[in-house]
Amino acid sequence: MRTVYLNGEYLPETEAKISIFDRAFLMADGVYEVTSVLGGKLIDFEGHIRRLERSLLELGMPKPDAFDELLDIHRELVSINRIDEGLVYLQVSRGNDGDRDFLYPDPEAARPTLVLFTQSKPGLSDNPAARRGFKIISTEDVRWGRRDIKTTQLLYPSMCKMMAKNAGCDDAWFIEDGFVTEGTSNNAFIVKDGRIVTRLLSNEILHGITRAAVLRFAKEVQMQVDERKFTIEEAKNADEAFVTSASTFVIPVVEIDGAMIGDGKSGPIATRLREIYIEESLKAAI
Ligand code: PMP
């Protein structure tokens, strides 16, 4: 049985209990982060904590009391649960003051709820999907306008992943005004004539930690990067496409709405970026 963390305590997963009035449960009033673990070490930890801090600030949510101990808590859970390859999930909610109300509770009366748990994922670095590539569908982006805040409002992305699965595909890309915003749980990229294209940062997409690292590594090896919007038609005619996220790193996309991308196989740039990302992240893991 896993050991999880809840508000200062390490507990068996079946003993970690949260109030039915918790605002993450009633209102999706929570933010989260997912940090990957390779070789028992944390990948891009500082980036995830900086983004968590920003999400909290943007929502006026108090920091949990243990905010400055998050590295120790991550490490402790990885160690207790003997995670070699896997993920650490972290969630902060606005807590509750014992009732349901649209108005935020007084931060003195309601302390934030802090939860962390691990997920063991052997084979995370050697994912068969990275060789085979993802088939994706496109779907209208009807999420809210602050997608830069990593909230637990994940019903629409979850619906769209089910739609993709039911269509025999792996994932979905969101489209707004004809342009690709991002994937259900990843950032979207295309490659045309050797240039890597991905949407520029704004409130319309999550500022992916893996996106930032991959763009940095791409520039370091002299790959050309354009941060701009691209349409789904442009994506279908690209030489390559791929997605990035903390839990999957870089995964090539080989089909979009039934149209084959390039030769329908994992492309060389996506494959190379995956290798570089894993290699460099392992070196910097803590
Ligand atoms: N966009 C969305 C909507 C996501 O849910 C995620 C993964 N949480 C990403 C992008 C990728 O972000 P990261 O690289 O920080 O995991």
Side-chain angles (χ1 to χ4, degrees):
M1 193 191 291
R2 264 180 300 196
T3 296
V4 303
Y5 176 95
L6 170 61
N7 293 336
E9 286 186 284
Y10 292 91
L11 299 164
E13 62 186 44
T14 49
E15 284 172 33
K17 303 266 166 45
I18 292 174
S19 164
I20 62 161
F21 299 114
D22 195 279
R23 289 179 59 91
F25 178 61
L26 297 178
M27 312 251 172
D29 190 355
V31 296
Y32 75 107
E33 283 296 332
V34 177
T35 303
S36 60
V37 178
L38 287 180
K41 292 188 169 173
L42 300 161
I43 305 295
D44 282 335
F45 177 79
E46 288 91 354
H48 288 286
I49 297 305
R50 267 199 303 276
R51 185 172 61 190
L52 172 68
E53 196 167 13
R54 179 177 180 277
S55 294
L56 292 169
L57 193 72
E58 291 296 316
L59 292 173
M61 200 184 288
K63 277 189 190 174
D65 297 332
F67 189 84
D68 294 334
E69 294 148 41
L70 288 175
L71 177 57
D72 290 342
I73 300 169
H74 277 72
R75 284 177 162 162
E76 185 68 15
L77 284 180
V78 167
S79 157
I80 299 175
N81 294 312
R82 297 193 182 84
I83 306 297
D84 177 46
E85 294 203 348
L87 309 170
V88 182
Y89 178 88
L90 172 162
Q91 179 174 315
V92 182
S93 84
R94 206 183 300 271
N96 78 90
D97 59 2
D99 205 352
R100 179 177 183 272
D101 194 334
F102 278 79
L103 296 176
Y104 297 167
D106 177 347
E108 294 309 313
R111 293 306 302 157
T113 305
L114 174 63
V115 172
L116 287 95
F117 58 82
T118 55
Q119 293 180 290
S120 181
K121 302 263 180 199
L124 193 67
S125 59
D126 186 27
N127 185 346
R131 290 188 288 278
R132 163 171 62 77
F134 271 2
K135 292 181 181 176
I136 60 146
I137 56 168
S138 65
T139 178
E140 200 60 30
D141 198 340
V142 301
R143 297 173 301 160
W144 78 327
R146 289 303 307 273
R147 303 164 192 152
D148 56 311
I149 308 174
K150 197 166 168 61
T151 76
T152 56
Q153 308 174 79
L154 295 174
L155 184 54
Y156 188 64
S158 179
M159 269 173 72
C160 295
K161 271 219 210 267
M162 284 310 298
M163 272 169 49
K165 184 172 183 235
N166 292 337
C169 291
D170 303 286
D171 210 342
W173 277 9
F174 293 131
I175 315 293
E176 192 166 54
D177 304 326
F179 293 95
V180 175
T181 51
E182 59 187 332
T184 58
S185 61
N186 42 54
N187 289 111
F189 297 71
I190 57 171
V191 181
K192 187 72 179 175
D193 301 327
R195 299 186 78 84
I196 299 165
V197 183
T198 193
R199 195 175 173 111
L200 61 173
L201 296 181
S202 68
N203 291 353
E204 287 138 19
I205 62 169
L206 188 75
H207 301 189
I209 303 305
T210 319
R211 174 193 180 281
V214 164
L215 290 183
R216 194 170 69 244
F217 298 141
K219 287 172 190 164
E220 278 172 18
V221 296
Q222 324 303 330
M223 291 180 183
Q224 304 298 312
V225 175
D226 296 328
E227 290 183 70
R228 62 163 174 85
K229 291 184 187 178
F230 60 90
T231 64
I232 192 71
E233 286 312 314
E234 204 181 343
K236 287 180 194 168
N237 292 309
D239 301 326
E240 288 185 44
F242 62 94
V243 291
T244 63
S245 79
S247 56
T248 61
F249 314 133
V250 179
I251 303 270
V253 168
V254 295
E255 194 184 292
I256 302 176
D257 291 335
M260 197 195 273
I261 307 305
D263 60 4
K265 298 205 180 78
S266 295
I269 291 187
T271 304
R272 178 85 190 101
L273 284 173
R274 180 180 177 87
E275 286 166 7
I276 300 175
Y277 177 80
I278 293 177
E279 200 178 297
E280 293 299 318
S281 301
L282 268 172
K283 279 191 218 157
I286 58 171

